[in-house]
């Protein structure tokens, strides 16, 4: 059926519009398709990675139950190497650090903590790794150890861990016999902790012991 004049005019306008903008429209559609394909591929990859990492983590848990330190640490190493972006890698590194430390291998423990403190994808594990690393460095007590701990503590605290950051700063001062600065840090930590009701009572008791050791809470 032949087009009337109005329909023919609309068709001509559409043809002109398409002729002018077809490259742009085609480019936008192509980019959107590529973005969707990339997102879908990433989601599949992430789910696949998490599944494989969980299997390796289960192997590590089994090794811990058997008391097989070597297999436990190998599993943690493999999780770091092959599945470093998953939470399992950081979680296993924290566990491996404790096992290595208990076995008397302090350097290996520090390596695991340093890896997790740099690579953990989960904020909670990242904060725990940094705080535990600082504690280990303070216990070592060397000049380089204090400097490394200071560098970590100068970083912005992970949200929700501000009071523990301040408490570790107090530990850092106290280990160097800077009691006044330690007391101030502990007092600031106490104020933060008093506002964070979700913290366990054990954390409050421990901080209170430290505060009492340097003169107590200011009123």
């Amino acid at each position: 059926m032949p087009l009337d004049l109005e329909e023919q005019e609309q068709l001509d306008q559409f043809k002109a519009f398409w002729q002018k903008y077809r490259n742009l429209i085609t480019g936008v559609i192509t980019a959107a398709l590529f973005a969707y394909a990339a997102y879908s591929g990433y989601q599949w990859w992430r789910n696949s990675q998490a599944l494989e990492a969980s299997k390796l983590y289960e192997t590590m848990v089994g090794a811990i139950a058997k008391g097989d330190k070597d297999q436990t640490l190998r599993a943690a190493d493999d999780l770091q190497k092959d599945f470093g972006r998953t939470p399992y890698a950081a979680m296993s590194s924290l566990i491996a650090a404790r096992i290595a430390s208990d076995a008397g291998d302090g350097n290996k423990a520090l390596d695991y903590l340093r890896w997790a403190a740099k690579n953990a994808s989960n904020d909670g594990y990242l904060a725990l790794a940094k705080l535990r690393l600082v504690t280990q460095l303070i216990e070592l007590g060397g000049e380089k150890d204090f400097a490394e701990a200071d560098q970590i503590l100068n970083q912005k605290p992970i949200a929700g861990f501000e009071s523990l950051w301040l408490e570790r700063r107090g530990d850092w001062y106290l280990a160097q016999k800077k009691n006044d600065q330690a007391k101030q840090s502990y007092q600031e930590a106490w104020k933060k902790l008093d506002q964070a009701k979700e913290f366990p009572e054990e954390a409050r008791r421990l901080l209170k012991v430290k505060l009492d050791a340097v003169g107590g809470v200011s009123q």
Side-chain angles (χ1 to χ4, degrees):
M1 186 176 72
L3 300 174
D4 60 30
L5 289 177
E6 183 177 356
E7 290 174 332
Q8 184 63 50
E9 183 178 355
Q10 290 175 347
L11 180 60
D12 290 342
Q13 289 175 348
F14 175 76
K15 286 180 179 179
F17 174 84
W18 176 254
Q19 187 68 28
K20 183 175 181 180
Y21 294 107
R22 63 181 178 181
N23 290 336
L24 176 61
I25 294 171
T26 302
V28 169
I29 292 173
T30 301
L33 288 173
F34 272 120
Y36 176 76
Y39 174 77
S40 299
Y42 172 72
Q43 290 296 106
W44 174 87
W45 175 85
R46 188 173 67 174
N47 292 337
S48 174
Q49 287 273 295
L51 179 61
E52 293 301 315
S54 70
K55 292 178 181 177
L56 185 52
Y57 183 75
E58 287 177 7
T59 299
M60 180 180 177
V61 171
I64 294 171
K66 292 185 296 183
D68 190 335
K69 178 178 75 73
D70 292 338
Q71 186 181 12
T72 298
L73 298 186
R74 277 199 304 272
D77 292 340
D78 289 342
L79 279 162
Q80 285 183 3
K81 182 177 66 176
D82 298 328
F83 305 103
R85 293 187 180 183
T86 68
Y88 291 102
M91 185 163 47
S92 67
S93 293
L94 289 169
I95 295 171
R98 172 59 63 191
I99 290 172
S101 180
D102 290 345
D105 193 345
N107 289 330
K108 186 69 172 174
L110 287 173
D111 288 342
Y112 283 119
L113 291 175
R114 287 185 178 116
W115 187 93
K118 182 179 180 182
N119 297 287
S121 58
N122 175 281
D123 280 350
Y125 293 140
L126 184 65
L128 289 174
K130 289 183 176 183
L131 291 167
R132 282 181 55 184
L133 178 55
V134 166
T135 298
Q136 292 279 90
L137 292 167
I138 290 172
E139 288 178 358
L140 288 173
E143 185 176 344
K144 289 184 178 180
D145 304 314
F146 281 124
E148 184 178 353
D150 180 48
Q151 187 177 28
I152 296 168
L153 290 170
N154 280 332
Q155 297 172 11
K156 183 179 179 181
I158 306 297
F161 291 84
E162 293 87 353
S163 61
L164 294 177
W165 229 262
L166 287 164
E167 183 178 346
R168 291 300 176 276
R169 175 58 81 182
D171 296 343
W172 186 85
Y173 281 128
L174 189 62
Q176 299 173 84
K177 304 186 186 306
K178 300 177 180 179
N179 289 15
D180 290 342
Q181 294 95 322
K183 179 179 178 180
Q184 182 178 351
S185 292
Y186 288 149
Q187 287 173 343
E188 291 174 5
W190 183 262
K191 292 176 184 177
K192 291 281 186 182
L193 195 62
D194 204 39
Q195 298 165 5
K197 303 302 182 184
E198 71 277 7
F199 268 83
E201 190 59 32
E202 291 80 3
R204 300 177 193 280
R205 284 200 293 266
L206 177 60
L207 180 55
K208 182 65 166 57
V209 169
K210 294 178 180 180
L211 264 169
D212 289 341
V214 293
V217 182
S218 293
Q219 301 299 325

